[in-house]
């Protein structure tokens, strides 16, 4: 991915030298043309066309913001409920993500999910220990949400 | 246009202050470290982010002053506060702070024993 971006910058500079227009407009036009060229030659690269990955990152950012607002709503309901009748607990969740940054992003995302946050990560990064505000009713739904998180993160790293 | 944005500024700052108040209430009311951490790590993050967004919009509209440090502050708080919550609760767990007495489940205790004996029961509660 980084290589494709670097190549795109290089093509933009090439365009600037060809046009002899050293300003931001020349750079921008060159960048767009370079994008077209890279898109045309995408089957020669090892990884995917990098705009797809940029789109996945933006998607992840929006998931973050949405989950933050929903988590606040859930916490808000628990706090202002007259009776403290939640059932907190710590449960373990195995994860299929491998590299360290993926696990970190997943842990941050889980921390910002309604009713859950990560207490500990096992030494081999395979199991996350999650404290949930309400174990019985949220657990299944949360597993579903988390499948979608893992999928969104894998979409970035693939 | 500017009047509409002023209304938005009011909404953002008011909502942020309200969320911070709810967070403080939660820290007083909830029973143990971990549930309090839920309130602190989520409520105050969004509350402070809202207040900073409100301040950013206010100075941008009123003075025409584009303060990029506020935007950086929003990003930094967004990145660091979940990590801080995680570290505090982790430190609490490992120094033996007990869970609330009505807690229903504590798999971390069992799993740590399993890991020490090299036994990895990997399809656990999440399935």
């Amino acid at each position: 991915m980084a290589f494709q971006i670097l190549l795109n910058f290089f093509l933009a500079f090439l365009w600037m030298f060809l046009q002899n227009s050293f300003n931001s407009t020349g750079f921008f036009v060159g960048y767009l043309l370079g994008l077209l060229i890279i898109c045309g030659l995408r089957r020669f690269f090892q990884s995917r066309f990098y705009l797809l990955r940029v789109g996945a990152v933006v998607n992840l950012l929006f998931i973050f913001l949405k989950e933050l607002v929903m988590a606040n709503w859930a916490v808000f309901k628990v706090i202002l409920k007259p009776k403290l009748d939640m059932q907190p607990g710590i449960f373990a969740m195995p994860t299929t993500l491998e590299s360290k940054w993926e696990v970190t992003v997943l842990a941050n995302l889980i921390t910002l999910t309604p009713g859950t946050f990560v207490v500990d990560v096992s030494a081999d990064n395979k199991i996350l220990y999650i404290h949930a505000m309400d174990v019985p009713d949220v657990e299944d739904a949360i597993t579903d949400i988390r499948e979608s998180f893992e999928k969104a993160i894998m979409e970035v790293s693939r | 246009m500017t009047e509409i944005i002023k209304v938005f500024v009011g909404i953002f700052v008011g909502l942020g202050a309200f969320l911070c108040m709810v967070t403080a209430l939660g820290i007083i009311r909830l029973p143990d470290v971990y549930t309090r951490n839920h309130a602190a790590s989520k409520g105050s993050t969004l509350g402070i982010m809202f207040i900073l967004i409100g301040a950013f919009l206010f100075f941008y509209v009123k003075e025409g002053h584009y303060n990029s440090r506020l935007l950086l502050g929003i990003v930094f708080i967004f990145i660091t506060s979940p990590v801080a919550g995680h570290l505090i609760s982790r430190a609490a767990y490992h120094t033996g702070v007990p869970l609330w007495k009505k807690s229903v489940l504590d798999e971390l205790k069992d799993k740590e024993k399993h890991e020490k004996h090299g036994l990895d029961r990997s399809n656990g509660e999440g399935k």
Side-chain angles (χ1 to χ4, degrees):
Chain A
M1 174 179 178
F3 173 70
Q4 291 183 34
I5 293 176
L6 200 62
L7 191 63
N8 204 342
F9 266 82
F10 176 73
L11 287 175
F13 277 107
L14 191 68
W15 177 258
M16 278 158 76
F17 275 95
L18 283 176
Q19 294 288 309
N20 210 5
S21 66
F22 297 99
N23 50 25
S24 58
T25 322
F27 180 79
F28 190 67
V29 172
Y31 198 86
L32 284 184
L33 289 175
L35 205 61
L36 278 181
I37 291 171
I38 288 178
C39 183
L41 299 178
R42 64 186 178 278
R43 70 190 185 90
F44 294 102
F45 295 109
Q46 298 285 327
S47 55
R48 293 184 299 162
F49 178 49
Y50 79 89
L51 267 195
L52 295 176
R53 211 182 262 193
V54 172
V57 170
V58 172
N59 185 21
L60 201 61
L61 195 68
F62 275 108
I63 291 178
F64 256 104
L65 290 176
K66 198 191 85 193
E67 290 301 324
L68 181 59
V69 173
M70 302 232 313
N72 271 282
W73 177 240
V75 166
F76 177 79
K77 276 195 300 194
V78 169
I79 290 172
L80 296 186
K81 214 172 181 182
K83 258 177 69 180
L84 284 177
D85 56 354
M86 70 276 188
Q87 296 180 307
I90 296 177
F91 66 95
M93 191 200 82
T95 176
T96 52
L97 297 176
E98 276 159 13
S99 61
K100 281 179 184 170
W101 72 266
E102 288 171 334
V103 176
T104 310
V105 171
L106 183 67
N108 270 1
L109 207 47
I110 288 170
T111 300
L112 295 176
T113 319
T116 51
F117 75 87
V118 178
V119 178
D120 206 350
V121 182
S122 70
D124 54 356
N125 287 345
K126 287 281 189 294
I127 308 169
L128 297 173
Y129 297 98
I130 299 167
H131 184 277
M133 194 68 131
D134 229 339
V135 172
D137 41 280
V138 194
E139 207 173 293
D140 283 340
I142 279 174
T143 310
D144 288 346
I145 295 171
R146 204 164 295 115
E147 296 294 317
S148 69
F149 289 167
E150 279 193 349
K151 205 171 278 176
I153 294 173
M154 275 178 188
E155 198 69 23
V156 174
S157 67
R158 191 179 53 166
Chain B
M1 187 61 195
T2 56
E3 294 302 318
I4 296 172
I5 289 188
K6 274 178 194 164
V7 172
F8 271 109
V9 170
I11 290 172
F12 272 127
V13 174
L15 204 61
F18 180 69
L19 276 175
C20 288
M21 191 194 76
V22 170
T23 302
L25 211 63
I27 291 174
I28 296 170
R29 236 195 119 200
L30 291 174
D32 70 345
V33 179
Y34 308 100
T35 47
R36 281 175 189 167
N37 212 332
H38 276 285
S41 67
K42 287 161 195 162
S44 61
T45 311
L46 194 65
I48 292 171
M49 277 170 66
F50 273 170
I51 291 175
L52 288 182
I53 290 171
F56 173 78
L57 278 180
F58 178 79
F59 284 108
Y60 185 60
V61 171
K62 189 101 181 301
E63 320 267 339
H65 172 61
Y66 182 85
N67 196 338
S68 55
R69 280 167 221 164
L70 282 176
L71 296 181
L72 274 184
I74 291 169
V75 173
F76 284 151
I77 284 180
F78 186 63
I79 294 173
T80 52
S81 76
V83 181
H86 161 65
L87 283 178
I88 290 169
S89 62
R90 185 170 187 270
Y93 194 90
H94 287 293
T95 46
V97 177
L99 296 170
W100 188 31
K101 58 184 185 302
K102 285 186 195 164
S103 301
V104 285
L105 187 69
D106 186 4
E107 286 206 333
L108 183 47
K109 206 191 312 179
D110 306 339
K111 286 275 183 165
E112 275 190 335
K113 279 176 200 157
H114 283 305
E115 267 174 38
K116 266 174 199 158
H117 297 297
L119 196 138
D120 193 15
R121 183 173 60 84
S122 64
N123 52 349
E125 198 57 38
K127 286 295 156 191

